[in-house]
Amino acid sequence: MSDPAPDTLQLTGTGRLRNFIGIDGLPRAILEEILDTAASFVDVGDRAIKKVPLLRGKTVINLFFEASTRTRTTFELAAKRLSADVLNMDIARSSTSKGESLMDMLRNLEAMSADMFIVRHGDSGAAHYIARHATPDVAIINAGDGRHAHPTQAMLDMYTIRHYKGRFEGLKVAIIGDILHSRVARSQIHALNILGAEEVRVVAPKTLLPVDIESLGVTVCTDLSQGLRGADVVIALRLQKERMDSALLPSESEFFRLYGLTNDRLRAAHPDAIVMHPGPINRGVEIASEVADGERSVILHQVTFGIAVRMAVMSMCMSGRETERDDSLTPERPHATTR
C-alpha cells in the first residue's frame, strides 16, 4: 500500500506544521512533536515572568464566531505567553453581522498585517475554507468547527494521557456520551489511533452514535459497564442540553441513570484509570460530582496543559511558515559544470 498523500494545507514541503486544521491524516511524528514542544512550555506558567519571546512582534487574532470562554481564554493566554500581540474580535458586533462577507472581513484583517487567525465556527469545514482562501502569510489554527474537528482540545487530551500514563501503546480508552455531535470525540479518535492506543471505545446510546462510526477504527459499546471494563482512560463528553429537544434522549436524568459516571460504575475500569472531561461539565448529567472532584479526575490538569499545548501549536505553525518563506527566498545554487 502506498503512503497517503501529504497534507499540503497543514504541512510545508519539508513536513513542518504550517496550519493546524485537523488531526486526521497528520503523521505521528507531528503529533509527538506537538506533545514534546508542549512539555517544554508547561512550566512557563510557574515563572515570575510568564513569557517567552518566540512570537514577539507577531499579531494573533481570535476569530470566534461561536462562543467559548475556556478555549478563547487559553488561546489568548498562550499567545501572550509567547509574547504575541493579541486581538479578540467581537464577531457579534463586527461588520459580518451587518452584511460584510467573511472573505471581506478576512482581507481587511490581512491588510492589518495579521500573522495568525485562531478560528472557531459553528459550521463544519469553516477553518478549512479560511485556510484555503487566506493569504499564505497568515497561519490558521482551528479552535473548533461544527461537528468536524477540535484538534487542539484533542492534543491537550493526548498530552494529559501521556503525562499520566507515559505511553499510548497498550492503553484502552473509553469515550462516553454524545459521540454524534462531538467534534472533540472525532479528533480524539484520530489522535489516539495515530499515536498507537490499543483500543478506542465509544460508549453511547444508539441515538447518539454516527452510523459510520466503526469506520474510524473504534469499538462500539451501547452498554456502559461493557465500555468501562478494563479501561485505562475514561473520557466523558459534555451532553449538549439542546439535544434534549430533538428527541434523541428522553431526559437528562435518564441519560445519567444509564450512562452517567459514578464511583460505583468506575469500578469496572482499571484500578489506575484516569477520568477526563473536555468541559464545561454538566454535573449529575454525564458525570457525578464525586467523580469530577475525585482522586481519579485530571480535569483541571487538562485546562493547565491546554495552554502549553496551544503554545506549542502556535509556535510550530509560525516556525514552519517562516522556514518555508526563508527557503523560498534562498536562491538555488547553480549546478556544478564539468570541464
Side-chain angles (χ1 to χ4, degrees):
M1 182 182 293
S2 61
D3 292 333
D7 187 343
T8 55
L9 183 66
Q10 300 199 93
L11 301 178
T12 69
T14 56
R16 302 187 66 179
L17 201 62
R18 63 196 305 270
N19 295 311
F20 195 46
I21 310 302
I23 289 173
D24 186 24
L26 288 178
R28 179 170 180 165
I30 285 288
L31 303 193
E32 291 176 339
E33 184 182 359
I34 292 172
L35 299 180
D36 293 342
T37 305
S40 71
F41 290 139
V42 166
D43 68 345
V44 171
D46 297 327
R47 300 177 186 175
I49 299 176
K50 299 177 173 61
K51 285 197 174 187
V52 293
L54 293 177
L55 294 190
R56 181 179 293 161
K58 303 297 184 183
T59 300
V60 176
I61 300 181
N62 280 330
L63 292 173
F64 276 55
F65 297 85
E66 186 181 65
S68 175
T69 301
R70 183 179 312 196
T71 302
R72 197 200 74 177
T73 300
T74 53
F75 264 114
E76 183 176 357
L77 278 172
K80 289 181 175 178
R81 287 184 183 177
L82 290 167
S83 303
D85 298 315
V86 183
L87 174 63
N88 293 312
M89 289 291 294
D90 188 347
I91 301 299
R93 299 180 183 179
S94 73
S95 298
T96 54
S97 64
K98 303 172 186 174
E100 183 181 53
S101 74
L102 173 61
M103 291 312 303
D104 285 338
M105 184 188 75
L106 291 176
R107 294 292 176 253
N108 278 281
L109 293 174
E110 290 169 354
M112 300 175 194
S113 300
D115 298 288
M116 182 177 291
F117 294 153
I118 313 298
V119 180
R120 188 180 182 96
H121 204 289
D123 293 340
S124 298
H128 189 278
Y129 175 84
I130 291 172
R132 284 284 184 200
H133 292 87
T135 175
D137 294 330
V138 179
I140 309 298
I141 296 178
N142 185 3
D145 63 325
R147 300 181 188 179
H148 173 239
H150 198 346
T152 59
Q153 177 66 50
M155 289 311 299
L156 72 88
D157 294 338
M158 297 308 105
Y159 186 95
T160 305
I161 292 171
R162 194 176 77 165
H163 177 83
Y164 284 98
K165 296 298 180 182
R167 71 195 191 287
F168 293 94
E169 290 78 7
L171 293 182
K172 298 178 176 68
V173 181
I175 304 173
I176 304 166
D178 186 359
I179 310 296
L180 178 63
H181 302 98
S182 177
R183 55 194 170 204
V184 173
R186 283 170 175 76
S187 293
Q188 289 170 337
I189 291 166
H190 289 310
L192 287 164
N193 283 327
I194 292 170
L195 290 166
E198 178 179 327
E199 183 183 18
V200 183
R201 304 170 186 166
V202 292
V203 188
K206 290 182 179 179
T207 53
L208 293 181
L209 288 168
V211 293
D212 60 345
I213 187 64
E214 292 92 345
S215 67
L216 296 183
V218 299
T219 301
V220 176
C221 303
T222 55
D223 177 75
L224 181 61
S225 60
Q226 178 189 2
L228 287 174
R229 191 171 299 129
D232 302 286
V233 178
V234 179
I235 304 174
L237 300 173
R238 183 175 76 91
L239 188 69
Q240 299 178 36
K241 296 187 178 183
E242 54 269 29
R243 307 304 175 201
M244 299 300 108
D245 299 329
S246 57
L248 293 177
L249 289 171
S251 67
E252 293 176 2
S253 59
E254 181 69 2
F255 181 86
F256 184 72
R257 186 179 72 81
L258 295 173
Y259 294 95
L261 282 181
T262 64
N263 280 336
D264 284 342
R265 287 171 174 161
L266 275 173
R267 291 194 179 100
H270 192 280
D272 293 328
I274 59 172
V275 175
M276 301 168 59
H277 193 299
I281 298 173
N282 292 316
R283 293 172 182 261
V285 179
E286 63 258 4
I287 188 169
S289 290
E290 63 182 7
V291 177
D293 302 327
E295 61 182 14
R296 295 190 185 208
S297 173
V298 296
I299 295 171
L300 290 179
H301 294 286
Q302 288 175 262
V303 179
T304 301
F305 296 148
I307 299 173
V309 167
R310 285 167 176 142
M311 289 173 70
V313 169
M314 296 166 81
S315 62
M316 285 172 60
C317 284
M318 194 62 66
S319 175
R321 282 177 167 275
E322 290 184 343
T323 301
E324 184 178 42
R325 189 180 304 122
D326 291 344
D327 289 345
S328 68
L329 295 174
T330 301
E332 262 188 58
R333 290 183 179 179
H335 295 291
T337 57
T338 57
R339 292 182 182 269

